[in-house]
Structures are given as structure tokens and as C-alpha cells.
Amino acid sequence: MDEKNQVEPAIGMAEGAGHFSLEAEDTPSPKAEPVSTWTPDGEKPNDAPASTSIPDEETVIAAIATVYDPEIPVNIYELGLIYAIDLHEDGSVKVEMTLTAPNCPSAQELPVQVKEAVEKIDTVTTATVEIVWEPPWDMSRMSEDARLALNMF
């Protein structure tokens, strides 16, 4: 058989006894970029490249300050409920917060509201909120603005 009559094996065709090839050539094909990402809300196109910048602390604080304790007309940042904000290069944010009391009726909803507020920031990829009890919260943690709003000088 001369070289002109040799035929490359088709993709998925057997090349010989006991050998099977998924590609016609030995070189692997380059991986294609995904055209979309599946989320619980449905499929979303990959328009924007993944964020590799650290979220801005002031922006995170501003987002947290949109969350109010339903029993106290002051945002939770000014109340002193936020103990730590950890910003990471991959865009993730970890927030450590406390509550005014262990039996706080808002214990279920406030952490979820903080998580959702932080995740709305464009540079944030994911947020986690952890409730901590040490040190215990007391009124000395409130900002001056919160004390004025609550008439607690």
C-alpha cells in the first residue's frame, strides 16, 4: 500500500487489535472555554472574566451598613455587631459578627442579610458569615452616631 492510499483512522474508530482512539491525531485538542455557567437560577453566559481583585473594604462596610436590626433603628455596623471582615484575593469575603444577645429574635435573618448584601458587590465572588460570641457584645461597641440615634450618650 502506498502512502497516498493510507487513510487516517476516523475519530472513535479502532486502529488495531486492542487499541481504540478518540482522536485521529496523538496530540490532544485544546480545551475550549465554557460558553456558560450553570447556577441554581439558570444558565448564565461567561461574559466577564473571573475576578481576581481583592474586594474594597469600604465597599464591603457600606454594603453591611445597609442591614438594620429590625428592633433597633441603626445599622448593624454602627451597632458594633461586625467583629471582623476578611478580604481574600479570590474575591471571597468572610465576616465575623455577633448579635446583641444569644436569644436575639433576628438571629436567623441578620447573617443571611449580611451575606446577601456583601455578595451583591461586583468584586465579591462569595461571602460567608460566621456568628461569634467572644467577646460578648456590649453597648461600648456602638459608634457615636448609633449612640446619638438611640439617645444613649
Side-chain angles (χ1 to χ4, degrees):
M1 202 185 248
D2 62 46
E3 289 184 29
K4 286 184 181 180
N5 292 338
Q6 283 188 340
V7 178
E8 288 285 324
I11 294 175
M13 297 286 293
E15 292 180 340
H19 185 74
F20 186 81
S21 173
L22 294 177
E23 296 185 40
E25 300 175 10
D26 289 332
T27 58
S29 63
K31 292 196 177 207
E33 290 295 318
V35 293
S36 64
T37 303
W38 185 88
T39 67
D41 296 327
E43 210 167 300
K44 296 185 180 179
N46 281 347
D47 295 341
S51 171
T52 56
S53 63
I54 298 175
D56 178 53
E57 184 176 26
E58 288 180 24
T59 306
V60 173
I61 290 170
I64 292 170
T66 64
V67 179
Y68 282 75
D69 186 311
E71 298 177 326
I72 305 170
V74 177
N75 74 63
I76 65 168
Y77 189 81
E78 296 295 326
L79 278 176
L81 298 182
I82 304 300
Y83 283 3
I85 300 171
D86 295 328
L87 308 170
H88 301 275
E89 289 182 12
D90 64 354
S92 63
V93 176
K94 180 182 177 190
V95 177
E96 289 183 5
M97 68 175 287
T98 194
L99 301 169
T100 54
N103 59 350
C104 175
S106 301
Q108 299 296 318
E109 62 195 50
L110 285 178
V112 172
Q113 290 175 353
V114 170
K115 177 180 171 38
E116 290 173 350
V118 172
E119 286 182 337
K120 287 180 182 176
I121 301 169
D122 290 339
T123 56
V124 173
T125 56
T126 175
T128 57
V129 179
E130 182 180 343
I131 299 291
V132 295
W133 298 108
E134 292 295 325
W137 180 87
D138 62 46
M139 289 189 285
S140 70
R141 297 188 171 276
M142 294 182 351
S143 71
E144 284 188 42
D145 290 341
R147 290 173 200 235
L148 287 172
L150 297 173
N151 292 322
M152 299 176 136
F153 302 77

